[in-house]
Amino acid sequence: MIGAAMIAVFVLCALLMALRVLPAILAVPLMALGIAAVAGASPSELGAVVTLGSAKLAPLLVTVIFGAWLSRVTMATGIAETIVAYAAEFGGDEPLPLALALCGVVALLFTILSGLGAVVMVGSIVLPILLGVGLDRRSAATLFLLAFALGFIFNITQWTFYTTTFGIQPAQLRTYALVLALIDLLALLIYAFVFVRRSRGYAAWALAAESPRMRVPVPALFTPLLPLGLYYVMHIDPIVAFALAAIFGALCTRPRRAIDTLVAAAVRGVEDVAPALLLFVGIGMLLQTTALLSVRTGLIPLVTALAPHSALGYVLLFGVASPLALYRGPLNPLGVGIAIYAVLAGLGVLPPLVLVAAIMAVVQVQNVCDPTNTQNVWVANFTGVNVQEILRLTLPYQVAVAVAACLVVAFGAQGLFGVPAFAEGSVHETSIAAAAEVTPHVKTGLPGLFIPASAAWAIAVRDDGSDLARAAAEIARRQIVKSWLGYRLVEAPSDPRESDCSEKPYAAVVTFASHQMSSAAGTIVDFEARLADCAGWPVDQWSAARTFSMPPTSDDGKFLGLDLLERLRLWMREDAVRSRALFTSGLAFDPARDAPSELFSMVKTIDGNMRAVVRTGGPAWKAGLRTNDVVLMIDGKYWWDYGTYQAQNRAYSSGTHSFVVQSGADAPRRVIVLAAPFEGESVSTGR
C-alpha cells in the first residue's frame, strides 16, 4: 500500500512536469518530500530531506559552477567562435563536409561547456552557417543536438554526477564511454547522410551570421582540451581543471584584462547554470529521501520486481524503453528517474558500473530528443522548427544508440568492466527449480561433510551482539521469511564451527557484525555480512562503511542489513553453481572451477606460529587436523625452511603431504597424513 502511494506521488509529479504545470526545479523537491511523507517519515526525517539533501551533491554543484565559469571565459574571449570559424573555412561550401566538421567542433566544445548560455553561444554561431550553406532548418537543428549529445558523453560535469552519486571511478568508464561515442557517432553519420544529402538546396531561409571577431592566438585554441587532459590523463580534480583552463584562456587572449574577464565570466556563469544548480539541489533531496528506511522498504519490492536480471531485460528496460526518459520521466536521471536508479544502486541488483552504463545509454535519448530540455526549446525557436518535430526525427536514431549500447554492456560487461552484468537464472530458479535436480550426497568416508536432506534450503542468521548488528539480523530474518521463496529460516547456532554437518538443521549461516569508531566527521561504522557453510567455513562476505554525523540508530542498522542482504542475493545469482551446492549439500563447491581441496588453510599468527584452520568434517579434519593446531613440520622439513608463502601453499597443492603438529606447547606432537582431497564430484548430480 505504501509502495503504491509512493508511485502515485511519483506519477503525479512526472505528469506535472510533462504537462509543464510545474518546472523540474520545483517538481523534484516536491516529489522528494511527498514520497517521504507517504512513506511515514518523521518530522525530523523530513527536515533531513531538506537540509542534508540540499547539500548532498555539493561537490557536483561546485563542479557545475566552475564548468560554467570556463564556458563563459571560452565565450567571452572569442575562443569558441574562432574554433567554429576555422571549421567553417576548412569545410568549404559543401553542406555535408561542412556539417560534419561543425558537428565535430560542437562535440568537442560540449565536452567542457554546459548550461543554456553555452548552447546559445555555440548555436548562434554554428546554426547560421549551416543554414547559410543550404541545409534545411530541421537538419541544422537536429544535427546540432546530435553533436551536442555526442560531446556530452565525455562532459566532465556529467561524469562528476555519476561518480558522486554512484561511487565509481572515471577510469572504470573510459572504455565504455569510447564505445558509446562510436555508436553515437555512427548514428550521427547515418543521420547526416540521409537528411543532409536530401536537404541540399532546399533551405527555406538563412540567418545572417555576424563577421567573426579578431581571431584569438593559436595557444588559446587548446583551452577546451586542457581540462580534458588534466582530468582524464593527469587525474586532476575537475574543479581545479576547470579553474586552470579558465585562467589559461583568459591570459592567452586578454592578459591585461584577465582579472576583469574572469570575474565577469564567473558571475555570468553562475547565472547560466542557476536552473541546473536548483535542479541538482532537488535531486539531492530525492537521493536523501530514497535513503530513508521507510522509503527503501516500500520501494524494494517494486523495484526488485522490475529490475532486469538478464540481458534481455536489461536491453528492453534501458534500450527499447529508453523513451521513458523523455518529459523527465521514470528513466530520466535528472528527473524522477533518480529515485529508481538510487534504489537500484542501493539494492545492488546491478553492479554499479553496469547501472551507470545504462544511465549513459538512456541519457543519449534524453539529451537529444526530450522536448522539455532547455537546449531543445532554444534550438527549435532559433531555427523555426517545432520542438516535437525534433523529437520525431531523432528518436528512432537515439533509441537505436541506446539499444546498441545496452547490447554491448549486456554481452560484454566482463571485458568492459571486469565484472559480469548478470548471472544465469534468478534466485527463485536457483532455489526451487534446481531443487528437483540437485540432491545432497554423503561422500564415502566423510560423513560429517554434508548436511542431512532435511536441512536443504535452510538458513540461519546470527549477529555479533552489537546493537546495529542485532537490528540488521532482525530485518534480515523478516525479509527471508517474507520474500525468499523456497528457503527456510531456522534458529541461529551458537557457533557452527563446533561440530560437523551430519546433524545440522541448516545449510548456511549469515552473520552480521559492526565496528564503530569516532572521527572528526562523526561516527564511522564498518558493517559486514559473512556467509558461511553449515560448519562455519567461510564462503563470502560483504562490507559497507558509513559515517554518521549523529550516533547511528537501529534504523541505520536495518538499512545496512537490507543493503548487505541484497548483495548476498546478487551473489546467489552471479555464482549460481556454488550457491546451489551450498543450499543443497551444506558446502559451497564448484567442481568445474574449484581445485581439489583438503578444506583447510594455514595462517601465520601474531605469536609467530603457523597454525591450521580446518573445515569441520572435511578431509583434513577426518585425518585428525584441528583448527589452531600449531604446524611444526611439513613433509619432513620445518615450515620456515620453505618460507611462509611456500608453506601455506601446501594447503592448496595436490598430492600426499605429512604434517607434524601439536595442539599446545606442552601437548604431544602428532603426525597427520593428508591423502585424498575433496573433489566435489558428489555435490551436484543435475546441471
Side-chain angles (χ1 to χ4, degrees), residues 157-238:
T157 300
Q158 188 77 356
W159 277 46
T160 304
F161 171 66
Y162 298 142
T163 56
T164 301
T165 306
F166 299 100
I168 60 173
Q169 297 301 316
Q172 298 174 296
L173 281 174
R174 287 176 190 162
T175 302
Y176 171 71
L178 290 172
V179 172
L180 178 59
L182 289 174
I183 296 172
D184 207 37
L185 176 61
L186 178 62
L188 187 152
L189 291 174
I190 294 174
Y191 185 91
F193 275 96
V194 171
F195 283 90
V196 175
R197 290 172 65 88
R198 182 190 304 170
S199 68
R200 179 174 173 82
Y202 291 94
W205 52 277
L207 296 174
E210 295 181 0
S211 299
R213 296 175 289 179
M214 183 180 297
R215 303 294 172 88
V216 300
V218 173
L221 300 179
F222 291 94
T223 300
L225 298 175
L226 183 58
L228 298 177
L230 293 174
Y231 180 69
Y232 290 113
V233 179
M234 300 181 66
H235 310 295
I236 291 178
D237 186 89

Side-chain angles (χ1 to χ4, degrees), residues 474-678:
E474 177 188 348
I475 193 70
R477 293 187 187 101
R478 293 210 304 259
Q479 192 74 6
I480 291 171
V481 171
K482 178 180 177 182
S483 61
W484 284 38
L485 299 179
Y487 292 82
R488 294 180 293 109
L489 181 71
V490 299
E491 185 177 350
S494 56
D495 188 345
R497 297 171 296 181
E498 294 178 348
S499 60
D500 64 30
C501 296
S502 59
E503 297 181 1
K504 291 285 179 65
Y506 51 83
V509 181
V510 177
T511 303
F512 291 95
S514 69
H515 309 278
Q516 299 185 29
M517 64 185 72
S518 299
S519 70
T523 302
I524 300 175
V525 176
D526 287 327
F527 208 79
E528 66 178 6
R530 299 189 292 265
L531 176 65
D533 66 13
C534 55
W537 190 247
V539 177
D540 210 331
Q541 67 180 44
W542 301 269
S543 60
R546 298 287 189 274
T547 300
F548 298 92
S549 57
M550 301 292 289
T553 65
S554 61
D555 279 350
D556 295 316
K558 292 177 181 179
F559 172 79
L560 291 169
L562 284 175
D563 184 18
L564 296 183
L565 190 65
E566 287 302 322
R567 290 164 66 179
L568 165 60
R569 294 292 293 269
L570 179 63
W571 172 83
M572 293 163 66
R573 290 191 295 270
E574 290 180 338
D575 203 343
V577 174
R578 286 191 182 90
S579 174
R580 186 166 60 245
L582 173 63
F583 285 102
T584 57
S585 71
L587 179 68
F589 198 88
D590 182 355
R593 291 185 294 166
D594 296 336
S597 172
E598 300 283 354
L599 296 180
F600 85 105
S601 63
M602 289 184 287
V603 295
K604 186 178 179 181
T605 52
I606 194 171
D607 59 7
N609 287 317
M610 184 70 72
R611 294 181 182 273
V613 181
V614 185
R615 200 280 192 184
T616 305
W621 187 87
K622 177 68 174 178
L625 194 62
R626 294 294 183 266
T627 295
N628 285 327
D629 276 351
V630 176
V631 179
L632 300 175
M633 302 180 71
I634 305 174
D635 296 336
K637 296 173 62 176
Y638 287 102
W639 70 262
W640 49 83
D641 291 335
Y642 294 102
T644 301
Y645 173 77
Q646 292 295 337
Q648 291 173 329
N649 194 49
R650 290 298 192 278
Y652 309 103
S653 60
S654 58
T656 300
H657 297 288
S658 64
F659 298 81
V660 175
V661 304
Q662 61 182 155
S663 57
D666 299 327
R669 296 187 177 187
R670 311 190 320 270
V671 177
I672 305 295
V673 178
L674 304 183
F678 174 73

